[in-house]
Amino acid sequence: MFDPVPLTTLQAHTLGTLIRLEFTAPDDYPCSADTLTIAVDQQPGTPTCGPIVKSDIHKTLAELVRYSLVRVLQQKDGFQYKQNASKVFWLKPAQLALLGILFLGGPLSAKELFRRTHRLYPFRDLQHLLHNLEAVGQDRTPALVHKLPSTDKVPLFTHLFIEETELARLIVNASPTKTPPQEGRLDELEERIAELEDMVNRLLNKPEAGD
């Protein structure tokens, strides 16, 4: 089984956009590089490195084809492109939808994924969505999705088509950190301890009855 390959942000957004178009615009899919360029450029969260131009998409598509993540089809009106990740990684539609949204905007919580995938796949509920996340994460070798630790008890999920150093950065940023007590709270605790110590000393030094 193929391992996930590290993708640049633009590569991930391009692949994610192809996945989104497959679900939401089947009549216009597979699509041309021109259509894809417009779709990627209009996608929220696209890398802010200036307007996306056709040459950027052509270069990115060539790289994704080399990774076997995109297929190119020769039609009468030119070349058309479609995602191939579902075949390479044997993904069911629900799993493909989750991966596509993570390519476009991860890391995300389960609730955020549930909200953003509604146009791509009709998950019954959060439990149904989490079951599919586990299928492409902890229940799969190699995993395609990783569950990050959380500082607020709401775990985030990221795709694993990233460098190990980037994954390590995400884990560190998401890891819970112990914060020292606030100074005022510490003073209050110290005063309370002093009061208790004074109370104990008085009880120990209390004269016996009849003395």
Side-chain angles (χ1 to χ4, degrees):
M1 190 175 290
F2 287 90
D3 289 338
V5 295
L7 301 177
T8 66
T9 304
L10 184 55
Q11 288 170 349
H13 275 253
T14 300
L15 182 55
T17 301
L18 278 172
I19 292 171
R20 177 177 62 81
L21 290 173
E22 178 175 340
F23 284 101
T24 61
D27 293 341
D28 299 319
Y29 182 87
C31 64
S32 67
D34 287 329
T35 299
L36 187 57
T37 299
I38 295 170
V40 172
D41 194 39
Q42 293 178 345
Q43 178 66 40
T46 297
T48 55
C49 53
I52 303 298
V53 296
K54 188 176 177 180
S55 59
D56 295 329
I57 297 301
H58 266 300
K59 179 175 181 293
T60 300
L61 285 169
E63 294 162 348
L64 292 171
V65 168
R66 192 163 62 249
Y67 295 150
S68 299
L69 295 175
V70 166
R71 285 184 60 200
V72 55
L73 309 174
Q74 188 168 4
Q75 309 286 10
K76 291 181 179 179
D77 54 350
F79 293 110
Q80 304 283 311
Y81 299 88
K82 63 183 299 184
Q83 67 81 21
N84 198 45
S86 56
K87 292 187 176 181
V88 170
F89 295 106
W90 294 78
L91 299 173
K92 297 178 180 179
Q95 298 162 1
L96 180 64
L98 289 169
L99 201 58
I101 294 300
L102 286 174
F103 282 143
L104 293 172
L108 296 169
S109 68
K111 286 186 177 181
E112 289 172 325
L113 282 166
F114 188 76
R115 186 174 65 253
R116 297 190 189 190
T117 53
H118 77 279
R119 292 182 59 212
L120 279 67
Y121 187 86
F123 288 102
R124 295 189 300 272
D125 49 34
L126 272 179
Q127 193 60 39
H128 184 207
L129 183 144
L130 287 169
H131 173 75
N132 280 279
L133 279 173
E134 290 174 358
V136 290
Q138 63 191 48
D139 294 345
R140 179 191 178 101
T141 304
L144 304 181
V145 170
H146 183 76
K147 182 180 179 180
L148 298 168
S150 173
T151 56
D152 55 4
K153 298 182 180 180
V154 179
L156 300 178
F157 297 87
T158 180
H159 67 79
L160 287 176
F161 292 74
I162 53 178
E163 297 284 358
E164 290 184 2
T165 52
E166 175 62 12
L167 177 59
R169 185 188 69 80
L170 291 174
I171 291 174
V172 169
N173 288 347
S175 296
T177 56
K178 293 183 178 180
T179 56
Q182 295 181 358
E183 186 176 347
R185 177 62 177 161
L186 186 59
D187 291 341
E188 181 182 341
L189 289 173
E190 289 176 346
E191 290 177 5
R192 181 61 178 158
I193 290 171
E195 290 175 1
L196 291 172
E197 287 176 345
D198 185 58
M199 185 182 300
V200 170
N201 288 333
R202 288 201 303 271
L203 289 171
L204 291 176
N205 295 327
K206 184 178 181 181
E208 295 289 342
D211 283 359

